[in-house]
Amino acid sequence: HVQLVESGGGSVQAGGSLRLSCVATGSTIGWQFDCMAWLRRAPGKAVEGVAAIDSDGRTRSADSVKGRFTISPDKSLQMDNLKPEDSAMYYCAAGRGVDAHLLRPSGYGYWGQGTQVTVS
């Protein structure tokens, strides 16, 4: 049984940086997912795909974070020049298929517990 465990969230001022990490624990035998992503959910808003990386190392980012957020092969998410609108619960997620590659939350069926990011 695999678990995704996020860390690195916190409270920062606008313009600051955070680095989120995601660790997969447990046995990955039979792991079927080919995309890893960061999703976020702000209060009262729908889940949004933030950034994804596939098994070939190709990345995709939401327009709202392009040039500020970077996802790495180790699944970490470097977030720079943070804005108040980036405040949300951030989830590491695993997915597969077209929706996952297109960074659609519907493509991600396996999520961690989340880590809170607050920007003031």
Side-chain angles (χ1 to χ4, degrees):
H1 180 65
V2 178
Q3 284 189 312
L4 299 176
V5 181
E6 305 94 335
S7 62
S11 297
V12 296
Q13 291 188 333
S17 298
L18 283 173
R19 186 176 186 88
L20 305 184
S21 296
C22 175
V23 176
T25 64
S27 174
T28 56
I29 294 175
W31 185 260
Q32 297 292 321
F33 305 107
D34 60 1
C35 272
M36 297 297 296
W38 287 92
L39 313 176
R40 67 185 180 187
R41 189 200 318 258
K45 294 189 177 181
V47 175
E48 176 188 18
V50 175
I53 186 165
D54 68 17
S55 55
D56 293 323
R58 292 172 297 198
T59 62
R60 181 183 289 267
S61 300
D63 288 343
S64 59
V65 305
K66 274 190 171 68
R68 301 189 298 121
F69 290 13
T70 304
I71 189 169
S72 297
D74 65 357
K75 304 185 291 293
S76 63
L77 183 69
Q78 178 66 39
M79 305 187 296
D80 298 316
N81 191 21
L82 282 159
K83 303 176 180 180
E85 51 264 42
D86 294 320
S87 296
M89 185 70 80
Y90 283 70
Y91 300 90
C92 177
R96 62 180 299 165
V98 173
D99 282 350
H101 284 265
L102 293 177
L103 196 52
R104 293 173 182 157
S106 58
Y108 291 89
Y110 207 88
W111 298 27
Q113 293 299 306
T115 186
Q116 179 68 40
V117 171
T118 303
V119 185
S120 58

